[in-house]
Amino acid sequence: LSLSRAEAKNLKALYTKKGRRLAGRFVAEGVRLLEEAERHGVLPVHAYWAPALVSERGAELIERFRKSRVPLTQLSAAELARIAGTEMSQGIVAVFATPAKSGEPDVFSGRNVLLCENISDPGNLGTLLRSALAFDFDPVILIGACAEPFSPKVVRASAGAIFGVNVFEATAGQAVVQAVKSGLTLIASGAKGTTDMDQILSDNSSSGLMLAIGSEAEGLSADIMNVADKVVRIGHTDRVESLNAAIAGSILMKACYDRKSLR
Amino acid sequence: LSLSRAEAKNLKALYTKKGRRLAGRFVAEGVRLLEEAERHGVLPVHAYWAPALVSERGAELIERFRKSRVPLTQLSAAELARIAGTEMSQGIVAVFATPAKSGEPDVFSGRNVLLCENISDPGNLGTLLRSALAFDFDPVILIGACAEPFSPKVVRASAGAIFGVNVFEATAGQAVVQAVKSGLTLIASGAKGTTDMDQILSDNSSSGLMLAIGSEAEGLSADIMNVADKVVRIGHTDRVESLNAAIAGSILMKACYDRKSLR
């Protein structure tokens, strides 16, 4: 019923970027999030829980973890509170192995792929991962200075999608080569776009798309803009300068998903 | 070149909900955000700035404030840092008068109105305000336990839309009465929806819509669901349980905007 000093230190380290990288592990907290992991067939390598803090639903989750032979450590409420990153842990903190997915991904012919460049806000990146899974964009490739996909904020904003979608970190060059190899049409989203998504989708009935979303402040880099097959613009009033990056990406992914469903 | 103790205290109070309510004032920081306020014709009642911290673009903004007779107080970088809520102030903190907009709004025949219920996450609420302005939903009515629209987090997430869109706080009952009085079709967004947005839009060619978005965890309350004209569902894969509330709202508003543009 207690945590050694060393164990507590290792666990706390997973709330830092360096600690996650060194350990090859990340953390997720809260019943809903862990149920989503379960739904995607991903089990933690270890779970810490405080009986006094868990709901009935949380206790059932722990029971399923036990049956699946997930190593469990029972803690006091005070001990768990010292570890947990947020007040939203609901009495459970679980440790997961980080999937090794950097470098050049495989070939993805016929699939829709989301390319995120410099999406540095963890909330926006997590939301884009969630929408990607919702609208059948998989994998998601991260280039430039994106938020770290396994940080607690991204994991939470993804609402568990991080456990379902394949995420790769790559360079712009690798991503572009990938689009070419896989025969994907590279679509850049940008304020200077001239084509609307419906037009692109009716021109592109068979092959998959690689949809590139840049940061709100800067847009996509020349690395991507110069080689994009089309630049798409989302029509809106002139009462705002631009849309939120996660909103723009999600609206475009939804349009692709609807079109694909019709075929 | 300095701030009295009392003035500093009053300014700090605007970073609390109680302080904002008592003073009828709120704060916004950063050059882009204040430029958006300007674009919507909204000037601060007072601005505090530190010459050492402002960019050229920031200095130009201060110059325009000066010409518009906005009261300005010049501070040292250290003084400004002590006041500012974030490191993103870029050397300017501006104080605005909160528009008085609670209670029953006027009649909005033919307009599209966004109804937000229990959108407690400030990032989601701010993003919804931004998309509302982008897709011509105005006003936005807040019911239930929404985030406070003039809190610094909502103001920032709105990317300045808070200065352009009309926001009302009301009860569910007032909002529903409003929909009826204004002849608006009340559309609820929900996982149990049966109709898709295209269908609703083709059935509803003339009158405006009141589009209701609820919290992700709970959805819309019975107050709204029981009286909604239609419940709309956004199609997605079953690999996620639901969409982020700001994403769902924005996708639906965009669909309405596109349809309206066609007419």
Side-chain angles (χ1 to χ4, degrees), chain A:
Chain A
L1 196 113
S2 156
L3 213 56
S4 75
R5 232 193 161 91
E7 221 177 341
K9 199 180 154 194
N10 288 340
L11 206 45
K12 279 307 261 183
L14 299 182
Y15 289 88
T16 68
K17 184 174 183 174
K18 189 180 166 193
R20 285 190 291 276
R21 189 170 44 76
L22 289 176
R25 300 263 187 276
F26 69 100
V27 281
E29 305 179 349
V31 176
R32 269 174 185 258
L33 203 50
L34 298 175
E35 285 174 348
E36 285 299 296
E38 203 182 14
R39 198 157 75 95
H40 291 296
V42 180
L43 285 174
V45 296
H46 205 119
Y48 300 83
W49 69 297
L53 298 178
V54 298
S55 62
E56 197 175 321
R57 192 166 151 183
E60 287 165 11
L61 177 69
I62 289 292
E63 198 41 48
R64 290 196 300 278
F65 282 167
R66 193 189 308 280
K67 282 184 184 152
S68 306
R69 301 181 191 275
V70 172
L72 295 171
T73 301
Q74 194 173 315
L75 301 176
S76 69
E79 277 182 309
L80 193 107
R82 261 203 306 279
I83 299 164
T86 68
E87 285 153 34
M88 295 154 77
S89 77
Q90 302 170 290
I92 313 180
V93 173
V95 177
F96 291 86
T98 312
K101 282 173 185 166
S102 49
E104 198 172 333
D106 300 330
V107 171
F108 305 110
S109 310
R111 293 206 58 76
N112 285 339
V113 174
L114 180 68
L115 181 64
C116 296
E117 186 179 50
N118 299 327
I119 304 293
S120 56
D121 181 82
N124 282 345
L125 183 61
T127 302
L128 281 167
L129 295 175
R130 183 176 180 182
S131 292
L133 199 60
F135 300 131
D136 208 17
F137 276 67
D138 189 4
V140 176
I141 302 179
L142 311 183
I143 64 175
C146 284
E148 192 208 344
F150 297 99
S151 70
K153 280 184 184 174
V154 175
V155 170
R156 203 175 323 127
S158 85
I162 190 75
F163 297 108
V165 72
N166 293 288
V167 180
F168 294 93
E169 296 182 273
T171 64
Q174 286 171 325
V176 169
V177 165
Q178 187 51 51
V180 173
K181 275 192 192 168
S182 302
L184 306 179
T185 305
L186 179 57
I187 307 293
S189 166
K192 289 172 195 145
T194 45
T195 323
D196 76 22
M197 202 66 194
D198 284 345
Q199 186 57 48
I200 288 171
L201 291 169
S202 52
D203 291 354
N204 184 76
S205 53
S206 59
S207 82
L209 300 177
M210 183 179 284
L211 174 66
I213 305 291
S215 77
E216 289 165 48
E218 309 295 335
L220 287 161
S221 70
D223 291 343
I224 300 299
M225 290 305 275
N226 291 346
V227 296
D229 295 302
K230 292 270 170 58
V231 183
V232 66
R233 187 181 180 280
I234 301 173
H236 59 73
T237 68
D238 59 6
R239 301 186 73 201
V240 300
E241 209 183 275
S242 63
L243 298 171
N244 167 282
I247 297 292
S250 301
I251 285 174
L252 294 173
M253 289 192 282
K254 168 64 172 164
C256 298
Y257 176 73
D258 284 347
R259 178 59 62 121
K260 217 174 166 183
S261 316
L262 287 177
R263 287 210 296 266

Side-chain angles (χ1 to χ4, degrees), chain B residues 240-254:
Chain B
V240 299
E241 209 182 273
S242 64
L243 298 170
N244 168 282
I247 297 291
S250 300
I251 285 174
L252 294 173
M253 288 191 281
K254 168 65 171 163

Side-chain angles (χ1 to χ4, degrees), chain B residues 13-245:
Chain B
L14 299 183
Y15 290 88
T16 68
K17 185 174 182 173
K18 188 181 167 194
R20 285 189 291 276
R21 188 171 46 79
L22 290 176
R25 301 263 186 277
F26 69 100
V27 282
E29 306 179 349
V31 176
R32 269 173 186 258
L33 203 51
L34 298 175
E35 285 174 349
E36 285 300 295
E38 203 183 14
R39 199 157 75 96
H40 292 295
V42 180
L43 284 174
V45 296
H46 204 120
Y48 300 84
W49 68 296
L53 297 180
V54 297
S55 61
E56 197 176 320
R57 193 166 151 184
E60 287 164 12
L61 177 69
I62 289 292
E63 197 42 45
R64 290 195 301 278
F65 281 167
R66 193 188 308 280
K67 282 184 184 152
S68 306
R69 301 180 190 276
V70 172
L72 295 171
T73 302
Q74 194 173 314
L75 301 177
S76 69
E79 276 182 311
L80 193 107
R82 260 204 306 280
I83 300 164
T86 68
E87 286 153 34
M88 295 154 75
S89 77
Q90 303 170 288
I92 314 180
V93 173
V95 177
F96 292 85
T98 312
K101 283 173 186 166
S102 50
E104 198 172 332
D106 299 330
V107 171
F108 305 111
S109 310
R111 293 206 58 78
N112 285 339
V113 174
L114 180 68
L115 181 63
C116 296
E117 186 180 51
N118 299 327
I119 305 292
S120 57
D121 180 83
N124 283 345
L125 183 61
T127 301
L128 281 167
L129 294 175
R130 183 175 180 181
S131 292
L133 199 59
F135 300 132
D136 208 17
F137 276 66
D138 189 3
V140 176
I141 302 179
L142 310 183
I143 63 175
C146 284
E148 192 208 343
F150 298 99
S151 71
K153 281 185 183 174
V154 175
V155 170
R156 203 175 322 126
S158 86
I162 189 76
F163 297 109
V165 73
N166 292 288
V167 180
F168 294 92
E169 298 182 272
T171 64
Q174 285 172 325
V176 169
V177 165
Q178 188 50 52
V180 173
K181 275 191 191 169
S182 301
L184 306 179
T185 305
L186 179 57
I187 307 294
S189 166
K192 289 173 195 145
T194 46
T195 323
D196 76 20
M197 202 65 193
D198 283 345
Q199 186 57 46
I200 288 171
L201 291 168
S202 53
D203 291 354
N204 184 77
S205 52
S206 59
S207 82
L209 300 177
M210 182 178 284
L211 174 66
I213 304 293
S215 77
E216 290 166 46
E218 309 296 333
L220 287 161
S221 71
D223 291 343
I224 300 298
M225 290 306 275
N226 290 346
V227 296
D229 295 302
K230 292 271 170 59
V231 183
V232 66
R233 187 181 180 277
I234 301 174
H236 59 72
T237 68
D238 59 5
R239 301 185 72 202
V240 299
E241 209 182 273
S242 64
L243 298 170
N244 168 282

